[in-house]
Amino acid sequence: MTSFSLTKKIRTQDDPLHWLPDVYLDLLKAYCTDLLTNKPYMLIELYINERELPKFPIMSMTTQVFEANINRLTEFYTAWKEHSLNEYAQWQYRCFQKWGNQRYPKELSFENFETLFQLTGLLPAVAQVLDKYKALILLNERLSLLPKKCGQWFVKASMNDINHLTNTVIWFLDNPNSGLYMRQVDVEGVHTKWIEQNITPLFTALKLINHDDTELSFEAYTGLVTPPATVRFRLIGSELDDFFHGATDIMMPVKDLNIIGSKLGPLCSTIVILENEKPGLYFDNIKQGMCIFGLGNAVTMLEHVDFIRRCPNILYIGDLDIEGLYILNRLRKRIPQVKSRYMDKQTLIEYDASAVNYTPKYTNESLDGLTDSERKLFDYLSEIQGTDSNNRLEHEFIKLADMLQ
């Protein structure tokens, strides 16, 4: 990638950008480097940016590569002799086979921003960057740090995005405990969809202004209400057919499941929990009880349902992979009587034809909630990580026994 250096002269009071803090100066340099690289008339980009280096190994260009690209290389050097940026280039000599010593620009050095922007035609773009930055610090000086913390967002953001952000930040500061859902937030001219899609810069801006590094979620921090956690389940068995007047596939908030728990719990002698959704749609491998499915990582919310927490016979079937074992481990720490089915090394090997290879995400959490056979599966999956062996089996592919006990 073409690089350029900026001397200390830009820090003088005579320079219109002297007031820029160092953190923003670094961002602006990166921003302009990216723009320079993508200017179509910057021929240097074609030959020495990182994507082209494998094609043009300057020190070891073969005769075949040289001959195939002689016209492009000749055009490049010819054009640079008369290019307006040539006088600012620092040249480095390299040897080409059958071509003698040639030089190419390694770095472009400019005395100040003004020269750089005039030569490259980037003044309008830079003016927009400065306008965005000024709009931030006009709201609060601590937002001078936002470009560094959310650099990619800031560079791509339009002025309209910046205005949306500042107006939304003001709304949340004025309404710290609104008790509203996200879609009820009423910021003039700002669609709530925009707010949902820009949570990271919004949250960062609020924490900067409040000088806070909270671990709370965005909703909890801003006083918004989160949608209630819901559980989807199927009732299995003749005694449960009329519980919901014939409806057997139900989804309801956890708090409502607790309300009916005193009547539903005694009828559910067995509770089966499936990690994924689709197997739950046709599961019928128990005589009577409840099949809960599709919660994935959110399965730990079941500890808040009294009759589930007290049920003596709870079976869990999850994916045979690192993440699936983490989920089981967390659930059992909250509901100790949970027993797993098919989550062992033997099952993984038996269904190897249906398994795949993937890169798991490890955590530092303790695995003391796993049984010996489950821990052996975890250790085996860790052992084959990085090899060609299959280390993930989704539980949809496992053929369940006729009835689970």
Side-chain angles (χ1 to χ4, degrees), residues 22-75:
D22 292 335
V23 60
Y24 184 65
L25 181 60
D26 291 340
L27 177 74
L28 189 57
K29 285 167 62 177
Y31 178 83
C32 292
T33 299
D34 183 64
L35 287 176
L36 276 170
T37 301
N38 290 290
K39 294 295 285 187
Y41 66 81
M42 292 288 289
L43 297 179
I44 191 173
E45 184 271 339
L46 179 62
Y47 294 94
I48 66 171
N49 105 12
E50 293 173 349
R51 291 170 296 178
E52 289 289 329
L53 281 178
K55 277 184 168 182
F56 297 92
I58 302 301
M59 293 295 293
S60 59
M61 185 177 288
T62 65
T63 302
Q64 292 82 0
V65 172
F66 166 76
E67 290 178 348
N69 294 279
I70 181 65
N71 291 333
R72 295 175 68 196
L73 289 168
T74 301
E75 291 173 3

Side-chain angles (χ1 to χ4, degrees), residues 313-346:
N313 191 29
I314 303 179
L315 308 179
Y316 182 82
I317 304 175
D319 292 340
L320 277 66
D321 58 20
I322 294 297
E323 283 88 350
L325 290 167
Y326 278 140
I327 294 173
L328 172 60
N329 182 67
R330 296 172 198 137
L331 176 62
R332 189 174 284 136
K333 285 185 175 182
R334 291 164 171 80
I335 308 178
Q337 71 272 26
V338 170
K339 301 174 185 177
S340 71
R341 289 292 185 269
Y342 306 102
M343 299 187 71
D344 52 52
K345 179 180 176 181
Q346 180 180 350

Side-chain angles (χ1 to χ4, degrees), residues 166-381:
T166 55
N167 290 336
T168 305
V169 165
I170 291 172
W171 189 93
F172 280 116
L173 291 174
D174 291 341
N175 301 272
N177 295 291
S178 65
L180 301 175
Y181 287 103
M182 176 70 78
R183 286 304 179 95
Q184 291 179 292
V185 172
D186 186 16
V187 182
E188 185 176 357
V190 182
H191 197 288
T192 52
K193 196 73 172 180
W194 184 95
I195 299 176
E196 290 178 338
Q197 294 171 344
N198 293 273
I199 289 294
T200 297
L202 276 172
F203 203 2
T204 302
L206 286 168
K207 289 189 287 186
L208 283 172
I209 292 174
N210 292 328
H211 215 311
D212 191 358
D213 194 23
T214 179
E215 296 295 328
L216 295 174
S217 67
F218 179 79
E219 289 80 3
Y221 188 78
T222 56
L224 295 178
V225 178
T226 56
T230 58
V231 177
R232 187 176 181 182
F233 59 92
R234 286 182 57 237
L235 300 180
I236 302 170
S238 57
E239 293 186 35
L240 289 163
D241 287 346
D242 294 328
F243 194 88
F244 288 106
H245 305 285
T248 58
D249 189 338
I250 310 296
M251 178 181 286
M252 65 172 57
V254 168
K255 61 181 183 64
D256 292 346
L257 189 56
N258 248 325
I259 293 173
I260 65 172
S262 59
K263 294 182 179 180
L264 181 60
L267 300 176
C268 296
S269 56
T270 300
I271 297 176
V272 177
I273 304 171
L274 304 179
E275 179 181 344
N276 301 330
E277 179 183 35
K278 290 183 179 178
L281 299 175
Y282 51 81
F283 180 88
D284 60 357
N285 297 81
I286 55 175
K287 292 182 179 179
Q288 180 172 309
M290 171 187 290
C291 175
I292 300 171
F293 54 99
L295 287 177
N297 278 297
V299 70
T300 52
M301 73 169 70
L302 296 179
E303 70 172 320
H304 302 296
V305 182
D306 293 338
F307 80 89
I308 294 178
R309 193 174 61 249
R310 293 195 300 264
C311 180
N313 191 29
I314 303 179
L315 308 179
Y316 182 82
I317 304 175
D319 292 340
L320 277 66
D321 58 20
I322 294 297
E323 283 88 350
L325 290 167
Y326 278 140
I327 294 173
L328 172 60
N329 182 67
R330 296 172 198 137
L331 176 62
R332 189 174 284 136
K333 285 185 175 182
R334 291 164 171 80
I335 308 178
Q337 71 272 26
V338 170
K339 301 174 185 177
S340 71
R341 289 292 185 269
Y342 306 102
M343 299 187 71
D344 52 52
K345 179 180 176 181
Q346 180 180 350
T347 302
L348 178 66
I349 295 174
E350 179 181 351
Y351 287 89
D352 182 69
S354 299
V356 296
N357 185 280
Y358 88 119
T359 302
K361 296 180 181 178
Y362 287 88
T363 71
N364 294 322
E365 61 192 281
S366 169
L367 296 174
D368 52 359
L370 298 182
T371 64
D372 289 343
S373 62
E374 294 159 359
R375 185 56 194 256
K376 287 179 180 178
L377 173 60
F378 185 93
D379 292 340
Y380 175 70
L381 291 171

